[in-house]
Amino acid sequence: MQVDFIIVGQGLCGTFLSHQLLQAGKRVYVIDTNKPFSASKVASGVINPVTGRRIVRTWLIETLMPFAVEAYTQLGNLLQANFIKPAPIIDFHTTAQMHLAFADRLPHETTYLHQLPNEQPWKDVCNYHFGAGMITPSWLVDLQLLLPLWRQHLQLLSCIDDMHFDQTLLRVSDFRVQYKNVTAKAIIFCDGVQGSSNPFFQQLPFALNKGEALIIHAPKLPATHILKHGLSIVPWIGENMFWVGSTYEWTYADALPTAAFKQKTETALRQFLQHPFTIVEHLAAERPATIERRPFVGLHPLYQNVAILNGMGTKGCTLAPYFAHQLAQHLVHHAPIDPHANVQRFSKILSK
Ligand SMILES: Cc1cc2nc3c(=O)[nH]c(=O)nc-3n(C[C@H](O)[C@H](O)[C@H](O)COP(=O)(O)OP(=O)(O)OC[C@H]3O[C@@H](n4cnc5c(N)ncnc54)[C@H](O)[C@@H]3O)c2cc1C
């Protein structure tokens, strides 16, 4: 079989890259193991424009957010589904300092930070002692729907295989790559955390971290907003279902759910929520984060037909559509890649 591009991985990165390349009229062949606990499958799907204790704008958000909203909407139109909806974040401050930090930023960040218009209904739902503010526009992406629907679409086009990609079977020559019986002009690795042990790209400064989440059933909790009180409570697929998380663990024995997280989160939730809930599921995954908090996008400096789209860290929903588009444009039309994301910035390390 002959295609234009082989793509390894169908998380957020592989999904948007295969979509972009198909849109450009290219033939793609995607290989993905369809593991249940990849980052994209465990993620809550939030696009939050601000970050950190100082509540500053996230990198490039003025460009990335409208691009992402358009990209999810377009993909939804193609697959006749709705993958994205507005979801204001209510930031219930957990300390007096956080309340002050929010109040200080409010006059300076009038696009994304707002007073909570009507606090009263929330007083009957949650226990909080230091006030609350609102972050909006912010968005919620339905990854639980998007990933399988895109996979189904690729299956209908006969361009995805559900299998493990074995690096030892890849042959890379100057003008083409070959994997088993498939030849292509180039291969692109969208392999998430596995990228940190990929022989072509393992020297890159990955900084994997682990996150856990509980899925709860909470019949009296409104599903109109994302609630933050240390933890985030995010509407999830299914009626009255919510995703609750997460942690950022830098040292861990494995990527499995832990009893400690479950216990700590359940206790915090019982204190915060006034209404009953039951725990339905417990998820965990590693995030493909990077030391500089910028993605890895582009061609390997030594192998001009081996590329990467990875390093989305905590922001895959915001970053993946935009950088998949940049990489596709680069592969097809040699368009430039943002130098802060272009993997060429590591050409010395990758050329060793
Ligand atoms: C708990 C948690 C919560 C998160 N919440 C959010 C959020 O609210 N908003 C947000 O923007 N981001 C969030 N993220 C981050 C987001 O999930 C990631 O940035 C994003 O999903 C990364 O996508 P990816 O395609 O690079 O990797 P992945 O989703 O890991 O996809 C990689 C795919 O490649 C496949 N693969 C790898 N190696 C091989 C191989 N050799 N052969 C075949 N297949 C292979 C894997 O099976 C997988 O399907 C969260 C992450 C976690 C863990």
Side-chain angles (χ1 to χ4, degrees):
M1 179 166 66
Q2 192 147 13
V3 296
D4 294 303
F5 299 104
I6 298 173
I7 297 173
V8 180
Q10 192 243 322
L12 267 165
C13 287
T15 292
F16 274 100
L17 186 65
S18 54
H19 175 48
Q20 292 292 340
L21 289 171
L22 285 170
Q23 292 269 86
K26 299 296 166 190
R27 289 159 303 165
V28 302
Y29 171 61
V30 181
I31 302 170
D32 182 87
T33 43
N34 204 11
K35 277 194 202 132
F37 301 113
S38 66
S40 302
K41 286 177 188 153
V42 169
S44 56
V46 176
I47 296 182
N48 180 349
V50 295
T51 184
R53 285 184 179 274
R54 293 190 303 120
I55 328 169
V56 290
R57 290 186 183 192
T58 64
W59 180 57
L60 279 184
I61 194 64
E62 301 83 355
T63 305
L64 297 177
M65 191 148 85
F67 191 95
V69 173
E70 180 63 23
Y72 289 107
T73 307
Q74 269 187 16
L75 194 59
N77 291 343
L78 177 70
L79 301 180
Q80 297 179 347
N82 191 5
F83 295 138
I84 187 159
K85 62 179 179 193
I89 299 170
I90 303 187
D91 190 359
F92 296 99
H93 311 134
T94 51
T95 61
Q97 286 89 331
M98 287 182 75
H99 176 70
L100 285 177
F102 196 95
D104 278 351
R105 286 290 294 145
L106 207 50
H108 305 289
E109 181 45 90
T110 51
T111 308
Y112 298 118
L113 302 187
H114 312 272
Q115 307 256 14
L116 188 56
N118 183 7
E119 224 178 301
Q120 197 50 46
W122 298 104
K123 292 202 160 142
D124 301 330
V125 174
C126 318
N127 299 311
Y128 60 100
H129 310 291
F130 298 100
M134 191 151 80
I135 302 166
T136 187
S138 47
W139 298 83
L140 190 54
V141 179
D142 190 343
L143 293 168
Q144 302 301 306
L145 183 65
L146 185 155
L147 295 168
L149 275 188
W150 183 249
R151 192 176 195 87
Q152 216 176 65
H153 182 75
L154 292 177
Q155 280 162 347
L156 284 172
L157 299 174
S158 303
C159 56
I160 186 163
D161 264 332
D162 191 340
M163 65 179 181
H164 177 77
F165 175 85
D166 180 352
Q167 288 275 1
T168 63
L169 302 179
L170 177 67
R171 302 283 170 265
V172 177
S173 63
D174 283 350
F175 302 105
R176 63 175 200 169
V177 297
Q178 172 141 21
Y179 184 71
K180 296 186 178 172
N181 63 338
V182 183
T183 53
K185 287 180 196 150
I187 183 164
I188 304 108
F189 288 99
C190 302
D191 48 355
V193 293
Q194 275 77 26
S196 67
S197 52
N198 180 318
F200 289 102
F201 294 107
Q202 62 193 358
Q203 301 98 314
L204 291 174
F206 279 96
L208 308 187
N209 64 72
K210 175 180 168 183
E212 297 187 47
L214 298 179
I215 305 300
I216 63 163
H217 181 249
K220 292 195 175 163
L221 200 58
T224 48
H225 292 72
I226 293 161
L227 311 184
K228 275 188 81 178
H229 186 258
L231 291 164
S232 298
I233 305 175
V234 183
W236 188 247
I237 190 163
E239 209 175 330
N240 302 320
M241 303 296 278
F242 296 85
W243 179 106
V244 185
S246 180
T247 44
Y248 298 88
E249 302 292 336
W250 298 98
T251 47
Y252 43 89
D254 53 43
L256 298 173
T258 62
F261 172 84
K262 187 174 177 185
Q263 194 179 20
K264 199 171 143 202
T265 306
E266 186 174 357
T267 306
L269 267 181
R270 296 223 181 272
Q271 283 166 3
F272 179 57
L273 293 182
Q274 292 181 17
H275 298 297
F277 64 87
T278 44
I279 297 172
V280 177
E281 215 182 334
H282 183 177
L283 312 171
E286 287 176 289
R287 298 179 184 88
T290 71
I291 288 179
E292 301 170 303
R293 300 184 187 191
R294 294 291 176 266
F296 300 144
V297 185
L299 291 163
H300 194 289
L302 297 182
Y303 305 95
Q304 285 298 296
N305 43 17
V306 177
I308 184 169
L309 181 63
N310 206 330
M312 303 292 147
T314 58
K315 303 266 171 220
C317 294
T318 319
L319 295 167
Y322 183 78
F323 285 105
H325 180 258
Q326 277 207 351
L327 182 57
Q329 292 298 306
H330 184 68
L331 294 169
V332 177
H333 301 298
H334 307 289
I337 295 171
D338 184 319
H340 297 100
N342 197 330
V343 79
Q344 293 294 328
R345 70 194 189 277
F346 297 111
S347 59
K348 257 194 190 161
I349 302 174
L350 289 172
S351 303
K352 274 183 191 160

